Amino acid sequence: MTLPAQRHGTDPGRELAEPGFWQQPPAHRLAAFARLRAAEGPVFVPEGSGRGHWALVRHAQVQEASRLPKVFASAPGVTTPEPARWVRALFGDSMVNLDGPDHAQLRKIVQRAFTPRLLAAAEEDIHAVAARIVDDVLAERPDEFVSAVASRLPLEVICNMMGIPEHYRAEIADRVNHASENIGVERGLASRLRMPGRGLRALARMQRMVAGIGRERRKHPTDDLISALVCANVDGQALGARQLGAFFSLLMVAGVETTRNAITHGLSLLTDHPDQRDLLLSDFEKYADGAVDEMIRHSTPIIQFRRTVAAEHTMDGHVFRPGDKVVLYYASANRDEAVFPDPDAFVITRSPNPHLGFGGGGPHFCLGAHLARVEMKALFRELLTRPVGLRAVGLPDLAGSNFDNRVRSLRFAFERP
């Protein structure tokens, strides 16, 4: 790895490496990213023992790296830290950690399984699930939004789409929480020693569960996504048990977590900006698509992904060399003043809004982007247009993760009895 000159003087990227940085209030973190965007080129972030990564914090930088997968590779892993070899050998490589033909073939199988008929059924189901969740909320009057509303919608929609039997779902929800609760969160020594084993056990049980369902669907296929994946014939290939498990884990952890966080931040943003909420309610169908995209831009559910440089490349005057590590900071790119005027404002009519909440383009653009938008729009239609209004109470309880903008809990209340 090339050693940057900054490390021998003032290091503008050191703040991102401090353990407490991600526990700071959002305004503090956003101000730090603004300072990094003002630097002349990519900034080095030390990670100890001579290691570190280059921070790509501008919109154009993240887009460029995203669209050059032969230069900025996802393998051996996009998370921090990268997955250990034995973990990859045991659980298989997730699609987000693959490059080239391996990634293209797996993505082709998955895309082929999302038939127009399956997607149409999923969209119809989304509206039914959203209505049922809000019916339950109005009947039961809970006061915690993440568990009562935001987590339920993506979990139920994905389980319905995959064809997960009802009796497995409570356990799957529990496994998802255990697998993801401490990703990117700074913890004490005892917790670091205990929690990885707990998360991996949850992941293993979840993958064994879906592998068993996959074996059954190969023998007796039904009209669901698991059947489509294990019975696919794309260039003579379908998903094997380990590939199915890895895909399901990605779908559950990424699809459920990111959507639930975007929904939760969305309620908080509409509460904090009553003028934007009133505008949305004045003509929901006119403004809803823009509101959903602005919620995603403003909250940026995935904060960052890592890449490994595979070929020499020059960006903004800096030469990257093979083996260098870079991190694509979507949370910073989505506040880039060069692309988003008044970037910290929440404006549901923002146009254009080329946010990178689903990635910066290229082969790893989020497969679930369309369904996530449909889910958010359907839920907020139900939440906001019923005769009893909802509002957030207090600030979201953030996990302080350097990986995703995760909300542990958010209190909420009814505006009218």
Side-chain angles (χ1 to χ4, degrees):
M1 177 186 294
T2 306
L3 293 179
Q6 293 102 305
R7 295 183 64 203
H8 300 290
T10 301
D11 188 347
R14 183 171 294 279
E15 187 174 13
L16 271 64
E18 295 297 328
F21 176 77
W22 301 100
Q23 279 74 47
Q24 294 292 327
H28 176 91
R29 303 197 303 268
L30 292 173
F33 280 124
R35 291 192 294 272
L36 293 181
R37 288 194 299 272
E40 291 184 5
V43 173
F44 190 77
V45 178
E47 295 176 354
S49 304
R51 297 176 295 107
H53 67 261
W54 294 92
L56 303 187
V57 294
R58 298 176 185 163
H59 191 277
Q61 292 173 341
V62 173
Q63 274 198 322
E64 183 176 342
S66 299
R67 297 174 182 184
L68 293 172
K70 292 183 179 179
V71 175
F72 298 95
S74 296
V78 300
T79 55
T80 302
E82 296 165 357
R85 289 184 179 180
W86 70 267
V87 173
R88 294 169 58 201
L90 180 62
F91 293 102
D93 274 315
S94 174
M95 189 158 55
V96 295
N97 295 331
L98 293 173
D99 298 297
D102 291 337
H103 174 265
Q105 179 66 14
L106 183 56
R107 191 176 177 102
K108 185 189 294 186
I109 293 172
V110 172
Q111 284 179 312
R112 191 76 60 87
F114 280 92
T115 63
R117 179 180 176 183
L118 187 145
L119 288 173
E123 290 196 26
E124 184 177 346
D125 182 60
I126 286 169
H127 293 287
V129 172
R132 185 170 66 251
I133 288 171
V134 177
D135 285 343
D136 291 346
V137 165
L138 296 179
E140 298 167 11
R141 299 297 177 109
D143 62 3
E144 200 288 297
F145 187 73
V146 175
S147 58
V149 180
S151 291
R152 279 188 59 188
L153 178 66
L155 182 70
E156 290 190 29
V157 166
I158 290 175
C159 284
N160 290 345
M161 185 171 60
M162 293 289 285
I164 302 296
E166 196 72 40
H167 60 275
Y168 285 130
R169 297 188 182 190
E171 183 177 355
I172 284 176
D174 186 57
R175 300 300 174 212
V176 169
N177 288 333
H178 286 331
S180 62
E181 64 185 335
N182 284 287
I183 296 174
V185 178
E186 181 67 20
R187 306 184 305 280
L189 177 60
S191 182
R192 288 200 303 269
L193 292 174
R194 181 177 67 254
M195 294 309 297
R198 179 182 179 183
L200 291 176
R201 284 195 301 273
L203 200 61
R205 289 169 182 164
M206 192 161 61
Q207 292 198 6
R208 284 198 301 270
M209 186 184 300
V210 77
I213 298 172
R215 286 192 296 270
E216 176 63 24
R217 298 295 158 77
R218 284 190 190 95
K219 299 174 185 176
H220 308 288
T222 56
D223 193 16
D224 56 46
L225 184 55
I226 289 182
S227 297
L229 290 169
V230 299
C231 299
N233 185 5
V234 179
D235 301 330
Q237 293 188 31
L239 292 194
R242 196 166 66 157
Q243 287 177 315
L244 177 64
F247 174 70
F248 183 69
S249 297
L250 173 65
L251 194 61
M252 296 304 292
V253 175
V256 171
E257 290 290 313
T258 55
T259 306
R260 87 168 198 179
N261 290 327
I263 289 169
T264 307
H265 284 290
L267 180 65
S268 186
L269 285 166
L270 291 175
T271 301
D272 292 343
H273 299 85
D275 60 323
Q276 297 299 294
R277 177 175 175 147
D278 290 344
L279 180 61
L280 176 58
L281 281 170
S282 71
D283 191 335
F284 186 86
E285 293 306 320
K286 178 180 178 179
Y287 295 113
D289 291 334
V292 165
D293 273 319
E294 182 69 346
M295 290 172 189
I296 294 168
R297 181 198 72 85
H298 204 279
S299 63
T300 311
I302 295 294
I303 292 172
Q304 51 102 336
F305 268 151
R306 180 174 288 248
R307 296 288 189 264
T308 299
V309 178
E312 188 171 299
H313 182 76
T314 301
M315 180 189 293
D316 288 349
H318 175 77
V319 179
F320 292 104
R321 293 186 170 84
D324 285 354
K325 302 293 183 179
V326 301
V327 169
L328 284 57
Y329 283 100
Y330 306 108
S332 176
N334 278 344
R335 301 296 180 106
D336 191 336
E337 304 84 352
V339 178
F340 304 103
D342 195 8
D344 294 332
F346 176 68
V347 182
I348 67 171
T349 54
R350 187 182 295 276
S351 181
N353 190 354
H355 69 80
L356 306 183
F358 295 114
H364 284 281
F365 186 80
C366 177
L367 272 171
H370 173 70
L371 285 178
R373 286 185 170 108
V374 173
E375 288 178 45
M376 292 180 66
K377 184 176 178 180
L379 183 61
F380 278 106
R381 181 189 291 109
E382 295 290 339
L383 287 173
L384 298 178
T385 60
R386 298 288 187 102
V388 179
L390 302 178
R391 60 179 173 82
V393 176
L395 297 175
D397 176 19
L398 301 177
S401 168
N402 66 10
F403 176 69
D404 62 353
N405 197 5
R406 196 179 324 145
V407 184
R408 290 194 178 105
S409 65
L410 175 68
R411 315 305 294 181
F412 77 109
F414 300 83
E415 292 180 340
R416 294 178 292 279

